[in-house]
Amino acid sequence: MNPRDFHNALRIVHCLGLTDLQSAGVVDENWGTPEASNRDQIAAFFDDRFTEILRMPDANFDRLCKLIESRQPSRRAA
């Protein structure tokens, strides 16, 4: 990943909405773990996206990465 890709990934994360996250299977109410049910991960995500990304289980994080990658502009041969 180059600096431009990283910057664009940050923009993508900043612009994601609940429907985007649900459609990609990123959010599942409790980040997939019953022990997480004592807090609202979705609200927490929108309050502090980057902290919640760090807290996500690997499977949810992998789906988020696929979503981000799907929105990165395609590279064209120079």
Side-chain angles (χ1 to χ4, degrees):
M1 176 182 291
N2 65 40
R4 183 178 301 266
D5 292 340
F6 181 71
H7 190 226
N8 197 52
L10 294 175
R11 289 179 178 169
I12 292 166
V13 168
H14 180 72
C15 293
L16 291 174
L18 180 57
T19 303
D20 300 316
L21 298 169
Q22 288 172 327
S23 296
V26 175
V27 296
D28 51 14
E29 299 300 322
N30 293 310
W31 296 147
T33 57
E35 62 273 9
S37 62
N38 62 346
R39 59 195 234 14
D40 185 350
Q41 286 78 17
I42 294 171
F45 181 87
F46 289 111
D47 287 342
D48 185 355
R49 294 168 191 255
F50 300 107
T51 298
E52 286 304 307
I53 288 170
L54 293 171
R55 295 177 82 165
M56 280 181 189
D58 291 344
N60 298 67
F61 181 74
D62 291 344
R63 290 189 289 272
L64 176 63
C65 288
K66 286 179 184 174
L67 175 60
I68 293 168
E69 289 171 7
S70 75
R71 294 184 178 204
Q72 287 280 12
S74 61
R75 297 194 191 283
R76 296 184 180 205

